[in-house]
């Protein structure tokens, strides 16, 4: 089990059979026995099943998950399903308080394993069961907090949690890639405002990862070096788009940024995934990531819709070419204005960015 | 010049040098001499320049167009720049009325040709001037209309206009692909509510087109038939996702739909682009496209944010594998709710659709 020395992990089962795991911070006082708080709700297993369908033009799996239409949508704070349970309001978390908690999504894009994986069908109509795993991570029991307002100690606990989930889901037969991410802000469709992230265990290598790693493989074949390492070295040498740099991590706006605000955070050495991070790297990550998020949020009005995602090596394929890094981006292009993906981006995949990466990097350095 | 027998085309020049073209419907009465209405505004050339940057991980060009930040954003109706000019309010269109009009965008993603095309730079930092062409098509002078409220005659004129622009831009040295599209609805970032579409002349083959046509080329190599033609035949044979079918066109929800509401409209024979359409095919297209749009808009509350785009053969590459078709999709997944592209789609390219394609096809057939 991957976990730091200062985190205690306790797994329990919700009333419909889903798994819930507490990650408690050790050292601040007496710890609760997490097995004592029992889910009082009479939930029946949702039996959610999703289906993957092959897009023969783009060689991609598209997942159809009709049951997600009924998922909880922006409930008022007093009905938040991610807050701790209290008398008269039983939530997804049976305990009355928590540090960080992970649970299986009741409305998952990918559900657990069936007997046969497929693909089934013929001609252009290939389909397969949507196997895999979708988890929710609550970063804090404080409903009104944000990731950027967490303490470095708490971010350190979240890093342990991400590493633990990556290691554990990587061990599932159905999972080919583990993606830890946070969607933040109603503007990008977040349906629950309580600070939380997600972990997807995909049953395939995702299209953008596969494409990037094919490029990295071709580059290594031709040049003999890792593409990500060379990009990091070039950004460090130029310095024009670097925002912050520590002993182990460097954050920069990429040269070919797709989004008006986009920051990539690279480790200074090539590792495949979060479990491979050493202690000092995890410690500095907590500080540097908070610094980056707070700079990004300060650019407009101290709120920012953003998507933050860890790019990790797939579980089986391409591992030797992958290079762990974080990509954070926002669709906000000006106060009150978003960069929407319209015809050029959505239909043709041709991105037009209205903001100069160098100007954004300068603003983020000064922030 | 590609144009139907019932449309008169007149090109004029705006005060900053941009081209504007009237497409007037012949037969309804006396036509104005379009050269008499002169742009009275003292506009200076915007000198807009954009830059393309190479994303080395995804082998794509990303366009940086900083000048677009200052583009007109949701002006009140009385300040609409696409309405005809009237005393005291000079707009982009000098005339006091028009049928269909095309003009070069003053805030283009791609601007006209420089002396050298590049690419320039080295290592991971390759860039090139953002050459190409961006045009706006106003579908009607009626500010409060919608494409779906146009008459079949007017849609027929729009089809002539698309075919004309495709043929003309395909003749530009800088243009590798012509994309005629409509973004509709504030929810997807449309900044002007007057009914209008756009034409992009890209200086490269766009990523999604290149990917689809590589798949089509591989399929033809292996099976000896066109991939699009086989998909159409399979959809027609199944019938499960077909919405409407005429003598020349069939509309269906694709088997692997990415979006909650998505309709593809295929011609019954393989042609590369809109200029190749025969007269009867253009006539039926006007009727079928209006039928499809009206069905889509009726599903929720008679308004629908949507993106409609023509997939045409690139100008030089892959032409023999391409198959002209239209793709229309909406991000609306329920009344008042949108499908946002969040972490899975935006960061990983892994689409999860909350709506069953078969159920949506059934609803659209009944509409």
């Amino acid at each position: 089990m991957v976990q730091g020395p200062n985190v205690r992990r306790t797994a329990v089962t919700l009333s419909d059979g889903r798994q819930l795991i507490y990650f408690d911070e050790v050292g601040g006082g007496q710890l609760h026995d997490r097995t004592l708080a029992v889910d009082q709700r009479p939930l029946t297993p949702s039996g959610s099943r999703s289906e993957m369908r092959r897009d023969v033009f783009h060689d991609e799996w598209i997942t159809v998950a009709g049951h997600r239409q009924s998922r909880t949508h922006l409930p008022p704070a007093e009905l938040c399903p991610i807050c701790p349970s209290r008398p008269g309001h039983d939530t997804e978390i049976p305990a009355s308080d928590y540090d960080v908690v992970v649970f299986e999504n009741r409305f998952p894009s990918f559900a657990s394993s069936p007997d046969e994986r497929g693909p089934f069908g013929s001609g252009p109509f290939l389909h397969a069961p949507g196997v895999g795993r979708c988890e929710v991570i609550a970063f804090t029991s404080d409903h009104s907090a944000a990731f950027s307002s967490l303490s470095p100690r708490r971010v350190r606990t979240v890093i342990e949690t991400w590493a633990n989930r990556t290691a554990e889901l990587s061990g599932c037969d159905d999972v080919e890639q583990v993606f830890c991410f946070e969607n933040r802000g109603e503007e990008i469709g977040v349906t629950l405002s309580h600070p939380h992230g997600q972990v997807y265990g995909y049953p395939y290598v995702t299209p953008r990862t596969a494409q990037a790693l094919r490029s990295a493989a071709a580059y290594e074949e031709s040049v003999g070096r890792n593409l990500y390492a060379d990009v990091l070295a070039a950004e460090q040498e130029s310095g024009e788009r670097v925002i912050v740099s520590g002993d182990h991590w460097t954050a920069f706006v990429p040269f070919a940024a797709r989004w008006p605000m986009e920051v990539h955070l690279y480790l200074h050495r090539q590792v495949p995934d979060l479990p491979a991070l050493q202690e000092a790297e995890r410690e500095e990550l907590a500080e540097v990531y908070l610094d980056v998020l707070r700079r990004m949020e300060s650019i407009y009005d101290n709120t920012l819709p953003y998507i933050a995602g860890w790019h990790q090596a797939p579980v089986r394929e391409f591992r030797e070419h992958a290079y762990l890094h974080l990509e954070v981006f926002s669709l906000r292009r000006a106060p009150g204005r978003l960069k929407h993906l319209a015809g050029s981006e959505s239909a043709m995949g041709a991105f037009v960015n209205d903001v100069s990466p160098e100007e954004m990097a300068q603003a983020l350095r000064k922030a």
Side-chain angles (χ1 to χ4, degrees), chain A:
Chain A
M1 191 58 55
V2 178
Q3 70 191 93
N6 298 315
V7 177
R8 187 191 66 180
R9 179 187 180 282
T10 313
V12 301
T13 303
L14 297 175
S15 62
D16 59 359
R18 286 176 296 140
Q19 191 179 35
L20 180 142
I21 310 170
Y22 295 95
F23 292 83
D24 288 308
E25 293 170 356
V26 177
Q30 201 185 342
L31 290 180
H32 298 281
D33 179 350
R34 294 307 191 183
T35 61
L36 297 179
V38 174
D39 186 6
Q40 302 294 334
R41 302 167 301 172
L43 293 180
T44 50
S46 75
S48 296
R49 287 287 174 269
S50 64
E51 183 181 72
M52 301 196 303
R53 298 181 173 202
R54 193 75 185 168
D55 173 348
V56 293
F57 296 107
H58 302 96
D59 280 333
E60 292 175 16
W61 288 111
I62 307 295
T63 304
V64 177
H67 58 274
R68 279 169 53 82
Q69 278 283 58
S70 58
R71 68 186 182 271
T72 314
H73 186 81
L74 293 174
E78 65 271 21
L79 296 179
C80 175
I82 310 184
C83 278
S85 287
R86 58 178 189 276
H89 180 55
D90 290 320
T91 71
E92 291 282 60
I93 295 98
S96 61
D97 196 10
Y98 61 83
D99 293 332
V100 172
V101 71
V102 170
F103 56 93
E104 289 181 75
N105 197 326
R106 188 160 161 87
F107 303 95
S109 299
F110 300 97
S112 56
S113 175
D115 294 338
E116 295 183 86
R117 288 191 60 174
F120 306 105
S122 63
F125 300 149
L126 292 180
H127 58 95
V131 300
R133 176 116 167 179
C134 292
E135 298 181 340
V136 175
I137 301 186
F139 299 134
T140 166
S141 61
D142 178 0
H143 183 84
S144 59
F147 196 106
S148 61
S149 72
L150 300 179
S151 67
R153 167 76 195 269
R154 176 56 53 85
V155 176
R156 186 71 185 70
T157 304
V158 172
I159 294 166
E160 288 310 305
T161 307
W162 284 331
N164 173 271
R165 302 321 301 149
T166 298
E168 196 158 306
L169 298 191
S170 293
C172 299
D173 285 348
D174 289 337
V175 171
E176 294 294 333
Q177 184 177 353
V178 181
F179 182 40
C180 302
F181 65 106
E182 181 191 4
N183 296 330
R184 168 89 184 158
E186 285 182 35
E187 295 97 325
I188 56 162
V190 173
T191 52
L192 296 173
S193 64
H194 193 113
H196 72 286
Q198 297 180 71
V199 182
Y200 272 21
Y202 290 103
Y204 55 86
V205 178
T206 64
R208 283 183 61 75
T209 298
Q211 194 181 15
L213 293 179
R214 279 194 297 268
S215 295
Y219 184 86
E220 195 145 349
E221 174 83 15
S222 138
V223 179
R225 294 189 305 269
N226 181 272
L227 177 59
Y228 295 89
D230 273 13
V231 166
L232 173 62
E235 290 290 1
Q236 286 172 321
E237 189 188 337
S238 148
E240 208 180 358
R241 286 168 297 275
V242 172
I243 298 163
V244 290
S245 196
D247 292 335
H248 303 289
W249 298 88
T250 291
F252 58 90
V253 178
F255 172 75
R258 280 175 158 65
W259 306 93
M261 197 186 302
E262 179 171 349
V263 176
H264 292 188
L265 183 56
Y266 274 45
L267 184 67
H268 292 174
R269 67 186 181 102
Q270 185 191 2
V271 304
D273 52 21
L274 288 159
L277 288 180
Q278 293 172 350
E279 181 58 27
E281 293 163 343
R282 297 181 190 210
E283 281 291 333
E284 189 182 278
L285 172 60
E287 304 277 356
V288 171
Y289 185 27
L290 281 174
D291 183 24
V292 166
L293 274 186
R294 289 168 184 169
R295 285 171 189 271
M296 292 177 73
E297 290 187 343
S298 76
I299 293 292
Y300 297 121
D301 51 7
N302 282 310
T303 68
L304 191 73
Y306 66 79
I307 293 168
W310 281 102
H311 290 249
Q312 307 195 86
V315 175
R316 280 164 271 268
E317 294 179 78
F318 297 118
R319 282 186 73 83
E320 69 278 23
H321 302 294
Y323 190 115
L324 173 72
H325 67 282
L326 177 76
E327 299 188 4
V328 191
F329 56 87
S330 177
L331 293 65
R332 179 143 294 158
R333 66 176 175 88
R337 295 192 188 173
L338 298 182
K339 164 68 182 175
H340 291 270
L341 299 191
S344 188
E345 290 87 2
S346 290
M348 290 288 143
F351 275 70
V352 179
N353 183 355
D354 297 338
V355 176
S356 147
E358 290 72 30
E359 287 174 23
M360 182 53 74
Q362 191 174 31
L364 288 166
R365 270 197 303 272
K366 285 185 186 165

